[in-house]
Amino acid sequence: MTPLASLPTATRDEIQRLVHGPCDPAFLSELHQALAADDIPAGSAGRQLLQRLGLLGDTLPHDLFDDPARLAAVHAWAAVADPSLCLAALVHHLLCLGSIVQLGDGSDGSDDMVSRIKALRSGRAKGVYLITEAGGANSHLATRTRAELDPETGEFVLHTPDARAAKFGSAGTLDVPQTAVVLARLVTEGTDRGVFAFVVDLTDDEGLLPGVEVSSPIGLGALPLDYVQVRFHHVRLPHARWLADGAGIAPDGTFHDPAGSVERRLQRTLRVGQGLWATLPAVAAATSRQSAVQACTYAQGRSTQGKLAPGVPLLTYRTQQRAVLGAMADAFALTCAAHGARVLWEESGATPADRSGAEMGFSPWTAVHQPLAAYKAAAVRLAARVSAECQRRCGFSGHLDANRLAAYHGFHHAFDAAGGDSQLILYDIGRALVEAGAPGPAADPPPPAGTPPTSAHWWPAVARRHQHDLTRYLTERSQATDPGAPFERWNPLLEDAGLLGEIYANALVAEDVTRTLSGIRDRELAGALRALAALHGVTAARRWSGSLLALETLRPADIRALSGAVDELCDEILPRLPLLTEAFAHPEDIAPTACDPALPATLTWTRGDTA
């Protein structure tokens, strides 16, 4: 009898809600079948991708954003099964369709737009999102692609002014219909009205459409998709292809935009990123859980021949325990963060920007929604670290394509820059926290009296105190420079500003962990998760030890005690490992749960002729 099967039904349901969110079991079964389908018709890679996008789309609600938990689960499971499919689906559903749904006024109901939405929903067309311009850094803040209104026809003329303004994206599948949402600077009567989204057909069944130019493929081994650069040569778009988001142009040419400014317009246009940022923690959690399960299973079943203890399982070694159980602890923390990010997105609805009113700095992302942008940055970085460590701890087997650890790492490592550059996000968060004003006096230094590092409540207190200390330190340094010279003020502080943004994001995750623990009712499950939560905190503190010591948030004796705390927590987790590995694993026909070096089920053999 398996560990989960031996548990009460209420406990199994609690585990399912923890791992997959508040999703109906029937939906999860349907999603499983869609991803395990082996009857995809033969055809080109593009045709097969459309089939798979259609199968995933069938599991989603008709109103795409009515069920954020289901939306997150679809993409999380897709990432475990095939990271490239997940990326295509994220762009297809959240950025392309998401822009059409959230930024379209929905008032014209034109047959043209309705047919495109139906084609995207059904998987008859692939959705593309073209925002980045390849020729300049921070191109999101200085979009140069133009969409100029022709007052005679009411059409928009989409044009790439030069090679540096070419868009970069996954639009190289030329043998299937592709519909793109393209961000371009709207110009009417010679005046820049800000960056809006436009719906553009790139290809049909016969290939490229007139006025669209695509480069040769651009290889990206870490995340293999059909990347190309795209240019537009005076492509005419019907008025309905403008995702106006409440803006309008009167018959006399008068322009009105509720955003009120070019900068606020960009924030509103980019608000579709909130759905991506809210979903990525679930994706990061799913791949991290799967990575940790594989690494733990490998370490349990792999015997060693070292002279210290010949024949013992690899997991007997403390170094291996700290690594793979630490990966499982980080995967649990990401699972909690996935819930926190989703709830935050649900609460924020479709608001155009963060209520903090933050101004744009190095990038537009924190001005759109600071906490969700922080979740994105923290989640993809931690997931990349987890998958890389699990890959390393599985030796040669960790590098085999069939085990997917390299693909999981490539996905999250690539997403550090994609979907909003994580480092720029962290710089901006740190700068915003400092410019919000110097913090008041902090509470007593952590750890609070009587709270050891083996407590799940220890790290959240340390993280928040360190955020306070870093904010105060940076505020004092920034005040020593000329406030009228922003570059001279911030250029020497950016490294520490990035650390401040990172500890802010880490603190969000830490608080999600304790919030999740407080809702667990089953005692056995709560005990296992409490130890994972504490191990995540101690592991994070060890990574942050230099910064914690530099600002005296912790003392040297506190840091020295962490190694013993890690070993104590590993001893608590080891007896519960069968429960945790089964709870965290996806079905084996979706992804392997064991990092098998021999792969006997997939190998064929050829023997040479003998005399």
Side-chain angles (χ1 to χ4, degrees):
M1 181 176 289
T2 62
L4 291 190
S6 66
L7 296 176
T9 300
T11 303
R12 294 200 303 270
D13 291 344
E14 193 166 33
I15 290 173
Q16 179 179 289
R17 287 194 300 273
L18 169 72
V19 174
H20 304 299
C23 293
D24 185 87
F27 155 70
L28 293 176
S29 177
E30 182 184 357
L31 177 57
H32 180 189
Q33 292 174 19
L35 287 167
D38 57 4
D39 57 348
I40 303 296
S44 68
R47 296 287 174 190
Q48 291 187 332
L49 175 61
L50 282 187
Q51 288 283 336
R52 300 179 77 190
L53 288 173
L55 290 173
L56 288 181
D58 289 343
T59 68
L60 291 170
H62 177 72
D63 294 322
L64 196 62
F65 297 101
D66 277 0
D67 192 340
R70 180 178 289 202
L71 197 62
V74 164
H75 294 91
W77 280 59
V80 170
D82 181 349
S84 292
L85 172 64
C86 175
L87 178 55
L90 286 169
V91 173
H92 182 91
H93 293 126
L94 291 167
L95 297 180
C96 182
L97 264 170
S99 294
I100 295 172
V101 171
Q102 296 182 34
L103 302 178
D105 290 336
S107 56
D108 56 76
S110 67
D111 292 340
D112 175 71
M113 287 299 291
V114 169
S115 66
R116 272 150 189 79
I117 292 173
K118 287 182 177 179
L120 289 166
R121 286 301 310 268
S122 65
R124 287 183 286 109
K126 174 190 164 196
V128 177
Y129 189 71
L130 297 178
I131 175 174
T132 301
E133 294 180 352
N138 291 15
S139 65
H140 305 69
L141 295 176
T143 299
R144 297 174 62 243
T145 302
R146 292 165 60 93
E148 189 161 0
L149 177 69
D150 181 342
E152 298 295 325
T153 64
E155 296 173 316
F156 297 97
V157 180
L158 185 68
H159 185 64
T160 303
D162 54 58
R164 293 175 59 82
K167 297 288 188 181
F168 172 81
S170 56
T173 309
L174 306 184
D175 63 338
V176 301
Q178 294 186 105
T179 296
V181 167
V182 180
L183 268 63
R185 193 165 297 280
L186 173 62
V187 177
T188 70
E189 299 183 328
T191 302
D192 174 11
R193 305 299 185 181
V195 175
F196 285 84
F198 295 82
V199 180
V200 185
D201 289 333
L202 303 179
T203 56
D204 60 15
D205 288 314
E206 304 301 321
L208 284 171
L209 292 171
V212 180
E213 183 181 17
V214 172
S215 74
S216 57
I218 300 172
L220 201 165
L223 197 58
L225 276 180
D226 55 335
Y227 297 109
V228 291
Q229 289 188 20
V230 183
R231 302 179 195 171
F232 301 99
H233 297 276
H234 303 288
V235 177
R236 288 191 164 265
L237 303 175
H239 198 278
R241 301 288 191 90
W242 175 33
L243 301 180
D245 186 36
I249 304 170
D252 65 357
T254 302
F255 179 82
H256 167 72
D257 186 357
S261 70
V262 169
E263 182 171 293
R264 292 287 292 175
R265 163 46 49 203
L266 180 59
Q267 292 180 37
R268 286 180 63 108
T269 298
L270 294 178
R271 74 174 186 263
V272 296
Q274 295 181 28
L276 177 65
W277 302 333
T279 302
L280 275 173
V283 171
T287 57
S288 295
R289 289 193 303 266
Q290 196 69 25
S291 299
V293 166
Q294 288 184 262
C296 287
T297 305
Y298 178 89
Q300 285 178 302
R302 190 79 163 169
S303 62
T304 65
Q305 302 307 317
K307 291 185 178 181
L308 288 178
V312 302
L314 187 56
L315 195 58
T316 309
Y317 284 85
R318 282 297 193 191
T319 53
Q320 197 76 4
Q321 291 175 16
R322 293 175 180 181
V324 300
L325 298 183
M328 185 161 281
D330 286 341
F332 169 62
L334 285 167
T335 302
C336 301
H339 292 288
R342 190 192 71 245
V343 169
L344 184 62
W345 185 36
E346 290 172 344
E347 291 175 348
S348 69
T351 51
D354 184 11
R355 294 177 185 176
S356 67
E359 295 183 357
M360 294 187 192
F362 301 101
S363 71
W365 310 119
T366 58
V368 173
H369 200 298
Q370 179 172 298
L372 284 178
Y375 270 117
K376 178 268 176 187
V380 299
R381 287 196 168 181
L382 185 53
R385 182 181 292 117
V386 166
S387 55
E389 185 65 21
C390 291
Q391 184 182 25
R392 184 180 304 115
R393 295 292 172 168
C394 289
F396 170 74
S397 301
H399 294 270
L400 298 177
D401 289 346
N403 291 322
R404 298 193 192 153
L405 293 174
Y408 296 157
H409 178 255
F411 179 94
H412 293 293
H413 190 57
F415 249 110
D416 196 51
D421 188 283
S422 296
Q423 192 58 54
L424 296 183
I425 286 170
L426 298 177
Y427 286 154
D428 268 335
I429 291 175
R431 184 182 57 83
L433 291 173
V434 169
E435 293 186 345
D444 292 338
T451 305
T454 51
S455 166
H457 297 278
W458 178 81
W459 173 241
V462 172
R464 279 300 181 208
R465 172 57 191 266
H466 195 53
Q467 178 184 326
H468 175 279
D469 292 347
L470 259 174
T471 304
R472 193 164 193 171
Y473 168 73
L474 272 174
T475 300
E476 291 171 355
R477 288 188 62 193
S478 69
Q479 289 173 346
T481 60
D482 181 2
F487 179 77
E488 287 74 12
R489 180 187 185 195
W490 282 105
N491 193 34
L493 304 181
L494 285 182
E495 186 173 351
D496 285 329
L499 287 176
L500 176 54
E502 192 168 359
I503 197 64
Y504 166 88
N506 274 247
L508 288 177
V509 175
E511 290 170 353
D512 286 331
V513 170
T514 54
R515 191 178 301 115
T516 299
L517 282 177
S518 67
I520 301 297
R521 297 290 173 257
D522 182 83
R523 290 183 62 183
E524 181 180 356
L525 179 62
L529 297 179
R530 186 209 62 78
L532 281 185
L535 181 57
H536 163 73
V538 174
T539 302
R542 295 180 79 192
R543 286 196 290 262
W544 279 89
S545 58
S547 183
L548 291 167
L549 285 171
L551 293 185
E552 299 182 338
T553 304
L554 292 182
R555 302 178 299 273
D558 299 323
I559 299 298
R560 286 194 296 269
L562 295 181
S563 290
V566 169
D567 292 342
E568 181 180 336
L569 291 166
C570 286
D571 288 340
E572 282 191 54
I573 293 168
L574 281 170
R576 298 171 164 123
L577 198 52
L579 168 65
L580 292 170
T581 53
E582 185 166 346
F584 283 3
H586 281 74
E588 287 207 25
D589 56 350
I590 297 297
T593 55
C595 206
D596 192 338
L599 305 171
T602 60
L603 296 179
T604 59
W605 297 82
T606 303
R607 177 181 296 183
D609 291 337
T610 58

